[in-house]
Amino acid sequence: IFPDAHIIWTHRDPVKVIASYSSLTSLFRRTMYGQVHTEGIGPYISRRFLASVNRAMEYRALSGRIVHDLDFSEFVQSQVRTIQDLLPKLNLEQNIETFYLLCEEHSRMRRKRSDARGSHRYSLETFGVNPQDTVLRFGHYMDTYQVERELH
């Protein structure tokens, strides 16, 4: 449909992604159904994500589409610089107005929200998945795109 479109693929430690998405899913299910069996969520999310990553890697290899890889950790540490580096790859002009908009949005996002609460803590084990098994299952993806483990 959009033959000239560029794809940006953000890469992050699958252990963190699956734990985060499992937590979000459990909150949604708890809201909808009252109770939730947390140990069943992780394996489902893990299978779903692994299938999605494998399909994306296969599509990328066969399609010839332009894909730009974006390391999640680098983006979190320096959003403005990461976007500035990405703009020329997307054939987008970087002008002073774009730069100021990026800086303004970055500043807005960094301010503490008035409705913010404490940190949300969760682990993959809570959702019935072993982190080491996840690293092994996603090893090809992590090796291909040099995805590092997030140990904090």
Side-chain angles (χ1 to χ4, degrees), residues 105-118:
E105 182 63 15
H106 179 260
S107 177
R108 186 189 67 76
M109 290 177 9
R110 302 297 279 181
R111 284 193 291 267
K112 185 161 178 69
R113 292 177 21 186
S114 60
D115 64 340
R117 294 206 166 81

Side-chain angles (χ1 to χ4, degrees), residues 3-61:
D4 296 331
H6 293 241
I7 298 169
I8 301 170
W9 188 352
T10 305
H11 300 286
R12 186 175 187 197
D13 178 2
V15 172
K16 293 289 187 177
V17 173
I18 293 166
S20 177
Y21 198 76
S22 294
S23 178
L24 179 65
T25 301
S26 73
L27 292 172
F28 173 74
R29 288 183 181 177
R30 186 172 291 117
T31 301
M32 295 299 293
Y33 307 116
Q35 288 185 346
V36 66
H37 176 67
T38 55
E39 295 81 17
I41 293 173
Y44 167 76
I45 299 297
S46 183
R47 285 190 307 273
R48 185 172 166 208
F49 274 37
L50 184 59
S52 296
V53 163
N54 287 337
R55 277 194 312 270
M57 290 175 72
E58 182 179 323
Y59 172 79
R60 181 179 187 164

Side-chain angles (χ1 to χ4, degrees), residues 129-147:
V129 178
N130 180 299
Q132 289 78 19
D133 292 344
T134 300
V135 170
L136 290 173
R137 293 178 71 210
F138 284 82
H140 178 64
Y141 161 74
M142 295 176 77
D143 290 343
T144 300
Y145 301 106
Q146 293 127 21
V147 178

Side-chain angles (χ1 to χ4, degrees), residues 44-111:
Y44 167 76
I45 299 297
S46 183
R47 285 190 307 273
R48 185 172 166 208
F49 274 37
L50 184 59
S52 296
V53 163
N54 287 337
R55 277 194 312 270
M57 290 175 72
E58 182 179 323
Y59 172 79
R60 181 179 187 164
L62 297 175
S63 71
R65 296 292 301 266
I66 299 171
V67 179
H68 305 282
D69 299 300
L70 187 65
D71 181 273
F72 178 80
S73 298
E74 287 179 22
F75 179 69
V76 168
Q77 288 180 6
S78 181
Q79 293 97 348
V80 173
R81 183 180 47 80
T82 303
I83 297 300
Q84 282 182 300
D85 292 346
L86 193 57
L87 288 175
K89 296 174 185 173
L90 300 172
N91 298 323
L92 296 174
E93 184 178 317
Q94 180 176 325
N95 55 39
I96 195 70
E97 183 179 329
T98 304
F99 178 74
Y100 283 130
L101 287 172
L102 282 171
C103 291
E104 185 178 299
E105 182 63 15
H106 179 260
S107 177
R108 186 189 67 76
M109 290 177 9
R110 302 297 279 181
R111 284 193 291 267

